[in-house]
Amino acid sequence: MGLRKSFDPAVEAHRSDEEAAPVNVDESTVADWTEAEERAVKRKLDFILLPVLGLAFFALQMDRGNISNALTSTITQDLGVDTNQINVGNSLLSAGIVLLEIPSNILLQRIGPRRWLSGQIVAWGLVATFQNFITNYGSYLATRLLLGLCEAGFIPGALYTMSTWYKKSETSLRISIFFLGNLLAAATTSLIGAGILSMGDRHGVAGWRWLFIVEGAITIGIGILFILFLPPSVGNGSPLISFGKWSYFNRRESYILVRRVLLDDPAKTTNHLRISGSDVLTTVKNPRILLHIIITITSTIPVNAINTYGPSVIKSLGYDTVRANAMASVGAFIAAVVTVLLGWVCDTTKRRAPALLVGAVWSLIAFACVREAWKWSAARKYAAVVFSMAMNSTIHILNVGWLSVNCQRPQERSVAMAMIIMGANSGGIAGSQVFRTQDAPLYTNAFTACLALSAAVAVLIIGQSAWYFVSNTKLDKQGDAPIVAGKIDETPDGQRVELVRKWRWTW
């Protein structure tokens, strides 16, 4: 079968004296179930796993992004701060996430996703609720940093957990659906915020304080639901609420779920990983992964900038606080539809770069329009702002799926997911500084920066896809594609085999 170099040097170490015969799953697929059975169990998995993870992501984005709603209330006057100082708090939140992203992901592998991720949700929910007690600039900065530290690692941890349940050809659409929690939060929190702020200063409590109280309490409730209903791991479908008495999946379904993933990617494991310092260092130095990180950073800077100040820009067009927040939600609803559609295209075509390029070109056109919108009527200005918000994180979301399918080992995938979310939050740090007080009211410099970054993203996507395409061409010419080696398995007749597969890059 011409099986050559393995990506996993540990494979040789764990083999016993009774050598396992390598079986190339490309040439000898041993799936002992029907396509109808697999579709049914996959559909069942979608309705169990994705809503739980997506709801938690909704809570994260709600608590992280409601500062944009608070800005349309009286928070700056009550705390005695200006726009630039608000930006510093947002930068600290992102910095907190960056600091603990990789350590949190390593702990998740040791503790397990159900316990670790659930604890995170409740922790940041409490911090989000306690933000209503802040009275000055110092307390504002402290709570924003603490919120970031508590949220660190949730997104890459959830992404890695998803990757253990799904095949490579299924990841882009599922990642897009998972990020719907983020996108719908961006849309509905504007509506929720508008409703809460319309209450005014009830019982002597400012509207923005009610915003933090109500949305923080929602998050704590979501955290409790998360720990009760999340299935622990592939092959173990018994949630905590079952007390071990029932499972989401019967024995046949559990068998299909585990084996189909291993046949798709033999390097995947259903057990807790041990991530060493060498694994982290090797992944951090990988130039292909670093280019994905740069794509995410470059694309999320304008996203964070326009999402934070979009409602304020719309309010400056002459709309009141409640209406401006409601109108700002339109862009996120458009983004939700476009992201899922492009995710489906990625999985159907088995190509990622074209969909990302569509997002980059959209952003380029949108920011070119919004930069010149000061010459237009209020309605046309609003349309330009909405369409600049309508590619909300889409490039980053699709890039996450693109990176995931091009990770060669589970350890690399786990660290890479942490790195790309660190990149997104680094973009958040820079993005929170784009709109400056002295640039108001036209924000020409801010929109010019967003336009330039959108152009840079398009160039980076083309470069990354060309790199993968050329690498595959070289592998074809040389005829010695590396081998992904995975789990030692046993056939029905008792023969010990090692599942392996030739590697191909996905562009």
Side-chain angles (χ1 to χ4, degrees):
M1 284 182 281
L3 302 180
R4 294 178 176 82
K5 49 197 176 186
S6 166
F7 280 127
D8 196 345
V11 167
E12 297 298 329
H14 78 249
R15 287 183 179 171
S16 64
D17 293 334
E18 182 184 355
E19 191 74 7
V23 172
N24 190 328
V25 297
D26 291 316
E27 301 169 3
S28 178
T29 303
V30 286
D32 52 350
W33 56 84
T34 65
E35 290 185 7
E37 282 184 296
E38 184 171 353
R39 281 196 303 270
V41 74
K42 183 171 62 177
R43 185 164 53 248
K44 186 175 182 179
L45 173 62
D46 287 341
F47 281 101
I48 292 169
L49 185 65
L50 296 181
V52 176
L53 293 175
L55 187 62
F57 201 175
F58 175 93
L60 182 144
Q61 182 58 35
M62 178 175 64
D63 292 327
R64 180 192 298 182
N66 57 13
I67 188 67
S68 64
N69 306 119
L71 281 171
T72 63
S73 182
T74 59
I75 187 171
T76 52
Q77 298 94 308
D78 293 346
L79 299 183
V81 299
D82 59 22
T83 300
N84 293 343
Q85 290 173 311
I86 291 291
N87 290 346
V88 173
N90 288 335
S91 296
L92 281 178
L93 185 149
S94 296
I97 293 175
V98 171
L99 284 173
L100 294 187
E101 202 77 273
I102 291 179
S104 175
N105 219 36
I106 292 174
L107 284 172
L108 175 138
Q109 301 294 348
R110 302 198 175 199
I111 297 173
R114 184 169 66 185
R115 285 181 289 180
W116 180 252
L117 298 179
S118 301
Q120 283 191 281
I121 298 168
V122 173
W124 87 59
L126 289 170
V127 174
T129 305
F130 292 154
Q131 285 181 115
N132 84 90
F133 294 116
I134 60 177
T135 56
N136 53 44
Y137 183 47
S139 57
Y140 164 72
L141 294 181
T143 54
R144 297 307 281 180
L145 176 60
L146 191 56
L147 188 62
L149 293 172
C150 290
E151 291 180 349
F154 174 81
I155 299 174
L159 289 170
Y160 178 79
T161 301
M162 286 177 59
S163 76
T164 64
W165 288 87
Y166 289 104
K167 295 158 65 173
K168 286 184 177 181
S169 60
E170 302 162 353
T171 54
S172 286
L173 178 58
R174 270 72 187 185
I175 288 174
S176 296
I177 293 172
F178 168 64
F179 271 90
L180 277 182
N182 174 295
L183 298 173
L184 292 177
T188 58
T189 52
S190 290
L191 298 176
I192 295 170
I196 296 173
L197 293 175
S198 68
M199 292 168 34
D201 298 344
R202 295 282 181 93
H203 307 291
V205 178
W208 62 269
R209 294 188 187 275
W210 279 117
L211 189 72
F212 291 141
I213 293 170
V214 173
E215 295 186 350
I218 291 173
T219 296
I220 294 171
I222 290 173
I224 295 171
L225 293 175
F226 189 92
I227 194 171
L228 289 176
F229 290 99
L230 182 73
S233 63
V234 184
N236 180 3
S238 297
L240 186 63
I241 197 171
S242 73
F243 296 102
K245 294 181 179 180
W246 54 268
S247 171
Y248 288 123
F249 310 103
N250 59 38
R251 292 182 64 183
R252 174 68 174 170
E253 290 170 335
S254 295
Y255 171 79
I256 294 172
L257 284 170
V258 172
R259 192 163 179 79
R260 76 188 196 97
V261 170
L262 290 176
L263 290 178
D264 177 67
D265 184 356
K268 285 187 179 179
T269 175
T270 57
N271 301 318
H272 291 175
L273 289 178
R274 291 295 180 181
I275 300 175
S276 65
S278 175
D279 292 324
V280 174
L281 184 61
T282 301
T283 306
V284 168
K285 295 192 317 186
N286 188 317
R288 296 179 193 270
I289 293 175
L290 291 176
L291 187 50
H292 279 289
I293 309 306
I294 294 171
I295 290 173
T296 275
I297 293 174
T298 311
S299 65
T300 52
I301 290 174
V303 165
N304 280 277
I306 194 65
N307 284 352
T308 300
Y309 288 98
S312 298
V313 172
I314 293 171
K315 184 180 179 181
S316 71
L317 300 178
Y319 300 103
D320 61 36
T321 296
V322 175
R323 191 173 182 186
N325 278 284
M327 293 171 71
S329 69
V330 175
F333 281 118
I334 297 174
V337 175
V338 172
T339 300
V340 172
L341 177 61
L342 291 178
W344 175 81
V345 170
C346 287
D347 282 347
T348 302
T349 62
K350 296 181 171 55
R351 296 286 179 263
R352 269 58 177 180
L356 271 82
L357 198 55
V358 169
V361 172
W362 179 314
S363 294
L364 188 62
I365 295 171
F367 281 114
C369 291
V370 80
R371 184 179 180 274
E372 300 300 319
W374 63 272
K375 307 171 185 176
W376 303 345
S377 66
R380 292 180 67 189
K381 288 177 185 176
Y382 167 69
V385 173
V386 164
F387 275 93
S388 69
M389 299 174 74
M391 202 42 63
N392 182 342
S393 300
T394 299
I395 298 171
H396 163 57
I397 294 167
L398 298 176
N399 188 37
V400 169
W402 194 14
L403 171 59
S404 179
V405 299
N406 283 303
C407 288
Q408 298 160 341
R409 301 169 60 238
Q411 291 87 345
E412 181 180 76
R413 183 175 293 108
S414 182
V415 176
M417 290 298 98
M419 288 174 61
I420 199 166
I421 303 304
M422 289 170 66
N425 284 281
S426 298
I429 295 173
S432 64
Q433 301 299 324
V434 171
F435 284 82
R436 309 293 295 176
T437 302
Q438 58 269 29
D439 199 23
L442 299 180
Y443 296 108
T444 303
N445 293 330
F447 290 126
T448 300
C450 292
L451 177 62
L453 288 165
S454 298
V457 170
V459 173
L460 290 168
I461 292 168
I462 293 171
Q464 182 74 300
S465 61
W467 190 357
Y468 283 137
F469 182 83
V470 171
S471 296
N472 278 339
T473 303
K474 289 182 178 178
L475 290 177
D476 292 338
K477 287 181 178 179
Q478 295 168 359
D480 63 344
I483 297 299
V484 179
K487 187 177 180 181
I488 300 295
D489 205 356
E490 190 170 301
T491 62
D493 60 4
Q495 181 185 1
R496 298 178 73 250
V497 297
E498 180 188 21
L499 303 178
V500 298
R501 165 163 271 169
K502 288 187 178 181
W503 178 259
R504 297 284 296 175
W505 301 103
T506 300
W507 60 268

